Structure formats: C-alpha cells, structure tokens
Amino acid sequence: MIQYVLGRLVGTVPVLLGVTVLVFLLLKFVPGDPVVALLGEEAQGMSAQQLDKLREAYGFTDPWVVQYGRFLQEFVTGKLLSLRTETPVLTEILQRFPYTLQLTAVALGLSVLVAIPLGIAAAVRRDTRWDHLITTISLLGISIPSFWFAIMIMLLFALQLRWLPPSGSGTPAHLVMPALTLAFGTLAIQIRMMRASLLETLPQDYVRTARAKGLAPRQVLRHALRNALIPVVTVIGLEFGSLLGGAAITESIFAWPGLGRLTLDAVISRDIPLVQGVVVFAAVVFTLVNLTVDLLYGLLNPRVQYG
C-alpha cells in the first residue's frame, strides 16, 4: 500500500509540471495587456515609455522560457507575488481555501445524504411512480443552471421570507444558500449514478445466490451496495476535487470569499501570477483527492489490489 501511494505521488510530479506549462502558455495567449488591466484608468494618463518600463519591471518582456522558470521557482519557494496586492500568492490561496473547503464539505455532505437513498430507492422500485419522481428530480438538477437556482433561492429565502442573509460569510446562516446551490447540482449526477450502478449490480450472480440462500432483502441489498458504490465514490471524488478548486459562479453570487471568487477577481484584473497559482493549487488538490478515492476502492471491495 505504502509503495503504491509513493508511486502515485511520484507519478503526479510530471502531471503537475504539465499543468503549470499548460496554464502558463494559455495565459500568454489571453488577449489584453496585463499592465494596462492592472492599472485600470490610471494607465490612460501614462505614456507608452512608462508602460514599457512597467512591463519590463514585472518581467513581461522576458522570453517565455525565462518567465516560466521564474514562475516555477517562485511558486515552489512561496515567493510568487500577486500583482494587485503584492502579497505571496500562496498566502492569499491559503486564506481563501478554508472557506471553499467548508462550502464544499457541507454541499457534498448534503448531496450525498440525499442522493444515495434516492438512487437506491429508484433502483429498487424501478419503473414505479417513485422511480419516475426521483428521475424527474435528478433531471431538474442537471437541467437547471446553478446561477438561476442561486438567484431564485436568494429571492425566496433572503428577500421574500427574510430567513437567510443574501450574501457574505461569518455565520452558519450565510453558508446555507451557497451549499444548497452546489448540492442541488451535484446530487442529480449522484442519483443517476447510484441508480444505474445498482441496477447493473442487482442481476449479477452473487446477488442471485444471496437471494437463493434466503437472505433478507435488506441483507442482499447491503451485499450489492458494496460493489455498486464504487462508481458513485468515483463521481463524488471528482465532484469534491472540482468544487475544492472553487465554484466561481456560486461564490460570486453569494459573495462567498472562497477560491472561486478569488480566481474570478484575479482573471478580471489580469493578475496572472495569482491565476497561475490558484490553478496549480487546484490541480494539486484534485490529484490528492483522486488518490484518496483510489484508496477507498480497497475498503469497499477487498478484491481490489494495489501494486
């Protein structure tokens, strides 16, 4: 097991290097001048020579290879600075990450608590009115855009009923609507995956054997669930890693100070080092989450071997 984990961690190094190269090159092709975007209206009163000096000071005139090497060195040593605030990028990320982690944990916890029972119920009661109702709910979750859902619940719970604060952070009440928005979008996929996986598992031989031995339906279902949960855990892991990278739209609508909002602000202001840092950080988190999910397979199914 330890050898497998170490091998996976070593294997992530070239992946992360590839991510840094890709992010660096993609940001180079983004139109616009980062210095002008950074200065805003102040840039209109500056001459071309002054702007050139600023570009040279920030290192934007250096060859791409030099810029990439400098970015990599500064990121690894924690010296990469934000252009807007001139504070270390890693510091800004670590200040925002707890908010995103909190939002992701609550949203995913809610969606799992709702989606797994509904997916099981839809599979066990296949082609009944319950199955159709649950399938309809999952279709709504997939079809409704998250920004529309977020605005609707904001209008209902914040403006009409005045039960919850419309935006911000600081109390558990601030967390409710952003978590509901993310949970509604993710539970739909989890319901469909749970239903499909269980329907595929229930006709298998070992399940029929369990029924033939006279096991109670609840015990048969428990045996089937161990295998049926593997693809569901994969989906949950992917969603967890994706949400930890920041839910930009949801966090912006509710003014939630997480990584998603930080990334959006950095993109708008063309704070290239901050964008690069957030993307690489999200890639690291996503890789570690995937590794954790792979290790969970062995707990769900002892036949899964590592090596």
Side-chain angles (χ1 to χ4, degrees):
M1 172 73 81
I2 295 176
Q3 187 177 2
Y4 171 78
V5 173
L6 290 176
R8 285 288 304 273
L9 290 175
V10 172
T12 59
V13 174
V15 174
L16 293 177
L17 279 175
V19 170
T20 60
V21 172
L22 189 63
V23 171
F24 180 81
L25 293 178
L26 285 177
L27 288 175
K28 283 297 172 189
F29 287 110
V30 174
D33 189 331
V35 172
V36 174
L38 187 66
L39 294 174
E41 294 181 356
E42 189 181 348
Q44 297 177 0
M46 301 181 71
S47 65
Q49 290 76 12
Q50 289 175 312
L51 291 175
D52 287 339
K53 286 183 180 178
L54 282 176
R55 293 189 190 99
E56 188 176 354
Y58 284 119
F60 292 128
T61 57
D62 294 336
W64 290 7
V65 177
V66 176
Q67 292 185 47
Y68 173 73
R70 184 169 56 236
F71 154 70
L72 204 57
Q73 181 186 10
E74 292 177 345
F75 182 80
V76 172
T77 57
K79 296 179 180 177
L80 187 66
L81 300 180
S82 164
L83 294 180
R84 289 184 304 163
T85 60
E86 296 185 349
T87 56
V89 166
L90 191 58
T91 301
E92 291 207 27
I93 292 172
L94 293 180
Q95 286 174 348
R96 300 294 190 96
F97 184 63
Y99 290 97
T100 295
L101 181 62
Q102 184 184 27
L103 177 59
T104 300
V106 173
L108 212 56
L110 282 174
S111 66
V112 169
L113 286 176
V114 175
I116 300 297
L118 288 182
I120 294 173
V124 173
R125 301 174 183 273
R126 183 181 185 182
D127 294 333
T128 64
R129 68 178 65 179
W130 290 107
D131 183 20
H132 298 319
L133 176 62
I134 295 169
T135 304
T136 303
I137 293 173
S138 66
L139 282 175
L140 286 175
I142 294 175
S143 306
I144 294 177
S146 61
F147 70 87
W148 185 85
F149 183 77
I151 293 171
M152 290 300 105
I153 63 174
M154 183 186 286
L155 290 174
L156 176 62
F157 293 113
L159 297 183
Q160 294 295 327
L161 301 176
R162 298 184 182 278
W163 288 353
L164 297 169
S167 60
S169 62
T171 67
H174 288 98
L175 187 61
V176 174
M177 287 195 289
L180 279 177
T181 303
L182 294 180
F184 188 65
T186 55
L187 74 85
I189 300 173
Q190 294 169 17
I191 289 174
R192 295 179 70 83
M193 182 58 69
M194 186 70 253
R195 179 182 181 277
S197 180
L198 193 55
L199 285 177
E200 188 178 340
T201 305
L202 287 175
Q204 291 187 7
D205 291 342
Y206 74 94
V207 178
R208 287 204 296 267
T209 302
R211 288 198 186 101
K213 286 182 176 179
L215 293 181
R218 187 179 295 272
Q219 291 176 303
V220 174
L221 183 61
R222 192 168 63 237
H223 282 292
L225 273 178
R226 292 181 69 90
N227 281 333
L229 277 174
I230 289 179
V232 181
V233 168
T234 303
V235 170
I236 293 173
L238 292 173
E239 289 175 339
F240 188 64
S242 176
L243 292 178
L244 282 180
I249 295 176
T250 301
E251 290 182 2
S252 298
I253 291 175
F254 293 105
W256 185 258
L259 278 183
R261 192 178 170 201
L262 177 68
T263 307
L264 194 60
D265 292 342
V267 169
I268 293 173
S269 62
R270 293 271 296 177
D271 192 343
I272 291 177
L274 187 54
V275 176
Q276 291 170 330
V278 172
V279 174
V280 175
F281 181 82
V284 173
V285 171
F286 197 86
T287 304
L288 293 178
V289 170
N290 273 340
L291 175 60
T292 306
V293 169
D294 287 347
L295 296 178
L296 285 176
Y297 291 159
L299 296 178
L300 292 173
N301 188 348
R303 291 179 299 175
V304 175
Q305 299 291 324
Y306 301 103

